Amino acid sequence: MDLNYLFISLTPSWTSVAMLISYFLYLATVGSILPGKLVPGATLSDGTRLHYRCNGLLSLLLLVLLLGVGSQMNLVSPTAIADRGLELLSTTFIFSVLVTLMLYLVGLNSRAKSSSLKPHVSGNLIHDWWFGIQLNPEFMGIDLKFFFVRAGMMGWLLINLSVLAKCVIEAKLSQSMILYQLFCGLYILDYFFYEEFMTSTWDIIAERLGFMLVFGDLVFIPFTFSIQGWWLLSNNVELTTAAIIANCLVFLIGYSVFRGANKQKHVFKKDPKAPIWGSPPKVIGGKLLASGYWGIARHCNYLGDLLLASSFSLPCGISSVVPYFYPIYLLILLIWRERRDEARCAEKYKDVWAEYRKLVPYRILPYVY
């Protein structure tokens, strides 16, 4: 690719800025007014709990409907995102840097004492900017951490749909593209259907909001998780029937493990006596679930996540490593995160965690690792 063309493509325009601002304004508005289940978050160290309005699915479906109607009326172009992909990438990156600098400055000057807003300052500027200072910063009553992850997941689907529209218009639609779009679409819709489960994840309950999370939510998720779609737009891949069946099996197995494990953990946190796979749960030290998927491997949900990520890339064939960026990155990330989880849990649960490790010796992959 010509470097001059790449530079021009990456240069933000007022159009890309307007698109991003309009998107955030839509999410902030409908997130506040549309009906949705009000879900209590985890109890924080000071005994308080945040509450999250889980109306992401309704917000997403309404947005897709509005964009579809707007496209039919020639008010918006269905390929607007695909046509300005690199522009939007750089615009969102710049926004992530600016907003996290603001979060750093606001957190640095905060005198709040609550667990959500109490500043945690290490004195290392880069560390504090990267990992964040406050746990749950807000803007005009909007929980920014929950808002940004919602924006990233919806953005992923919007990019995919725009790429799909471009593919149809250019008469390049293939079985591979259909499979990729189907798997990602189902995964994202499932995410928002079970959006309340997000409130019990480590990112929401324990990670402070800094560049790591904001960049990950707004830039990394939508723009790198959609690499396969961009790649298929320029590369034709013909799959055999056996390859299609195998790809579907990888997706279904991955989904079953991923959703099943996360659901079991979420239900256990809400009701520690709820049955797991039809039997009373086995609990270590009154705190740790050792039944179902959590009795097979300590991070079995990571295995499901990796299988799902692989299913998004397998429709691209094996001629290039580019479409496999997401599963390769995810493998590295989850191994790193698993080590962090192990260290934190060992510190938090002490002997209870040691007992759990003896009962469930495998980390991610049962009987192997």
Side-chain angles (χ1 to χ4, degrees):
M1 181 183 289
D2 183 79
L3 290 179
N4 187 52
Y5 172 77
L6 180 61
F7 177 78
I8 293 173
S9 299
L10 280 167
T11 303
S13 68
W14 288 114
T15 301
S16 60
V17 172
M19 290 171 67
L20 188 63
I21 291 176
S22 299
Y23 177 53
F24 287 150
L25 286 175
Y26 168 84
L27 290 182
T29 303
V30 301
S32 300
I33 63 176
L34 287 182
K37 184 177 180 181
L38 199 61
V39 179
T43 302
L44 303 178
S45 58
D46 62 358
T48 62
R49 304 179 78 173
L50 297 182
H51 288 76
Y52 302 91
R53 188 176 299 280
C54 295
N55 55 10
L57 183 60
L58 186 56
S59 301
L60 175 60
L61 295 177
L62 178 60
L63 178 57
V64 172
L65 176 62
L66 290 173
L67 291 175
V69 172
S71 175
Q72 289 296 315
M73 298 174 65
N74 294 318
L75 298 176
V76 295
S77 168
T79 63
I81 298 175
D83 293 337
R84 296 179 178 271
L86 292 176
E87 237 181 77
L88 287 167
L89 169 63
S90 60
T91 302
T92 310
F93 175 78
I94 292 171
F95 173 84
S96 299
V97 173
L98 294 176
V99 78
T100 48
L101 286 174
M102 288 297 298
L103 287 171
Y104 171 78
L105 293 174
V106 171
L108 201 62
N109 292 285
S110 174
R111 296 294 180 266
K113 300 299 182 182
S114 67
S115 295
S116 288
L117 299 177
K118 182 180 179 180
H120 297 264
V121 182
S122 71
N124 184 318
L125 187 152
I126 299 300
H127 177 278
D128 292 340
W129 169 70
W130 181 269
F131 289 105
I133 290 178
Q134 294 177 305
L135 183 63
N136 297 301
E138 294 183 347
F139 178 71
M140 297 180 67
I142 297 172
D143 182 86
L144 292 178
K145 193 188 294 185
F146 200 65
F147 178 84
F148 287 147
V149 71
R150 175 182 285 185
M153 291 298 293
M154 287 192 190
W156 179 15
L157 182 62
L158 294 179
I159 291 174
N160 278 354
L161 292 178
S162 188
V163 168
L164 177 62
K166 192 175 183 68
C167 193
V168 172
I169 290 172
E170 295 180 358
K172 294 181 179 178
L173 189 61
S174 63
Q175 289 179 326
S176 297
M177 179 64 84
I178 293 172
L179 273 183
Y180 166 72
Q181 293 284 348
L182 178 63
F183 294 157
C184 288
L186 289 173
Y187 176 81
I188 295 168
L189 288 174
D190 172 82
Y191 171 89
F192 284 108
F193 185 82
Y194 292 105
E195 188 178 30
E196 68 174 278
F197 290 5
M198 186 65 191
T199 64
S200 61
T201 61
W202 183 261
D203 284 356
I204 293 294
I205 65 178
E207 295 280 16
R208 294 189 288 275
L209 187 62
F211 182 77
M212 181 181 73
L213 281 189
V214 175
F215 172 81
D217 290 341
L218 297 182
V219 180
F220 206 87
I221 287 177
F223 290 99
T224 63
F225 288 14
S226 58
I227 283 177
Q228 301 93 324
W230 294 104
W231 193 86
L232 286 170
L233 189 60
S234 304
N235 297 270
N236 183 42
V237 178
E238 296 295 333
L239 298 175
T240 64
T241 302
I244 293 173
I245 293 173
N247 200 169
C248 289
L249 285 175
V250 172
F251 174 80
L252 291 173
I253 294 171
Y255 174 78
S256 297
V257 175
F258 173 78
R259 177 50 62 213
N262 284 321
K263 187 173 183 178
Q264 286 175 356
K265 179 177 69 173
H266 183 79
V267 170
F268 174 73
K269 287 183 176 181
K270 299 295 181 182
D271 180 8
K273 296 183 179 180
I276 301 292
W277 288 345
S279 301
K282 184 171 185 178
V283 183
I284 305 297
K287 298 178 180 179
L288 300 177
L289 176 64
S291 293
Y293 289 107
W294 302 96
I296 298 174
R298 299 195 296 273
H299 306 277
C300 209
N301 55 325
Y302 290 174
L303 174 61
D305 218 351
L306 288 168
L307 289 173
L308 283 170
S310 299
S311 75
F312 301 155
S313 298
L314 288 172
C316 300
I318 56 174
S319 64
S320 172
V321 72
V322 173
Y324 289 86
F325 172 82
Y326 174 31
I328 292 172
Y329 155 79
L330 190 64
L331 176 63
I332 297 170
L333 172 70
L334 292 182
I335 290 176
W336 173 67
R337 174 169 283 190
E338 181 268 335
R339 297 300 171 89
R340 290 177 68 202
D341 290 348
E342 291 279 319
R344 285 169 171 167
C345 289
E347 182 180 355
K348 180 178 181 180
Y349 297 111
K350 297 181 173 59
D351 292 343
V352 175
W353 183 254
E355 184 181 350
Y356 178 54
R357 288 188 61 180
K358 288 180 182 178
L359 184 66
V360 186
Y362 302 106
R363 297 170 179 262
I364 298 175
L365 187 60
Y367 309 109
V368 177
Y369 174 77

